[in-house]
Amino acid sequence: MTQVPEPEAPEGIDLERPNAARIYDWFLGGTANWAIDREFGERAVQTFPMIKTIAKASREFLGRGVRYLAEQGVDQFLDLGSGVPTVGNVHEIATAVNPGARCVYVDNEPVAVAHSQILLEREGVAYRHAVLQGDLRHPSEIWNQAMDTGVLDPKRPIGLIVVGVLYFLGRDEPAVEIIRQYLSMLPSGSYFLSSHLTNDGVQTPDRALREQIHQQYQRSSTPFHYRSRAEFGEFFAGLELVEPGIVWVPDWRPELGESRAGARMAGNPSFSGSICGLGRKP
């Protein structure tokens, strides 16, 4: 069988080590990944077969969260660490509710940025949405660049999305302060949607397997870090938590949309290992 050649890598891409955005894309069935990412993903699945289901549950939560915000009248979004575009992107979900919705995507992975731009151009909506390459660790810089696109109106409520990203900020980094800077720039009536991996309260017999996955990621270009429920709650200080508050990903408003992966964890939502929440800025 003839081996299909790898696609040409965008400028600036690191193919020496696997990358979380591209691995996640592979978990979800995407094609914006390289051999080094697929090899990592395959080893992860061999170690922990449910990891693809857990990744899909996180994606489903994102979809339900965006749908909720769109139904509340929020029609502009800033998606930090947006990753490689795949099924159920923010602008697709939001515009299904409100055709005039707008979104600015931000990621520091060149593959994610390149594929996002291609997607927007292919759909003919690049005039209404934008994608930026940048590191969310620099709030003022990212905010200014996002506003300079002209896509977002800083005087009207914005949905700030940081889903499946915060655990890539090291425990020695000022993660809470970074998010608070973003929140301080949001106008009243804006929302903050987020999720985080945790070991806190996870009821599962496979902790050893999860730790193997954790160590595997520590050797990638994007290691992740757990935070407790209390630590995650600090990101929402000063916000009005939307019901049901901080809960396991499968438990967040499953009635709002697709939750097939989450349904596989019925009876033990902690199996997802991920908590989430939505807060509104007064």
Side-chain angles (χ1 to χ4, degrees), residues 85-251:
T86 184
V87 177
N89 293 297
V90 171
H91 76 278
E92 295 171 333
I93 297 168
T95 54
V97 177
N98 182 345
R102 296 170 176 266
C103 181
V104 172
Y105 294 102
V106 181
D107 206 283
N108 64 354
E109 163 55 51
V111 170
V113 174
H115 280 263
S116 296
Q117 189 62 49
I118 290 171
L119 175 68
L120 296 178
E121 291 172 356
R122 182 184 301 149
E123 293 182 358
V125 294
Y127 70 94
R128 195 168 72 238
H129 310 291
V131 55
L132 304 172
Q133 182 168 348
D135 194 321
L136 65 81
R137 293 174 175 84
H138 307 294
S140 295
E141 178 181 327
I142 294 298
W143 180 264
N144 290 334
Q145 289 181 6
M147 295 307 119
D148 286 344
T149 64
V151 169
L152 306 178
D153 180 352
K155 297 180 181 179
R156 295 194 302 108
I158 294 172
L160 176 66
I161 300 171
V162 195
V163 171
V165 179
L166 290 174
Y167 43 81
F168 294 116
L169 296 180
R171 297 191 62 83
D172 58 343
E173 296 187 78
V176 172
E177 287 73 13
I178 288 171
I179 294 302
R180 284 179 180 166
Q181 286 186 55
Y182 282 106
L183 296 178
S184 71
M185 293 182 281
L186 292 174
S188 175
S190 294
Y191 288 83
F192 170 56
L193 181 73
S194 189
S195 64
H196 207 295
L197 290 175
T198 187
N199 261 335
D200 191 4
V202 176
Q203 299 175 13
T204 177
D206 57 15
R207 283 187 178 274
L209 298 182
R210 291 174 185 257
E211 182 54 29
Q212 287 183 45
I213 296 295
H214 186 210
Q215 292 304 318
Q216 193 172 326
Y217 267 90
Q218 302 315 95
R219 295 188 292 273
S220 75
S221 63
T222 42
F224 72 81
H225 311 271
Y226 294 115
R227 287 184 174 86
S228 69
R229 184 179 291 261
E231 289 174 319
F232 181 60
E234 292 178 14
F235 291 105
F236 295 87
L239 302 181
E240 300 168 347
L241 271 175
V242 174
E243 290 294 331
I246 295 176
V247 296
W248 297 109
V249 161
D251 286 343

Side-chain angles (χ1 to χ4, degrees), residues 23 84 251:
I23 296 166
V84 176
D251 286 343

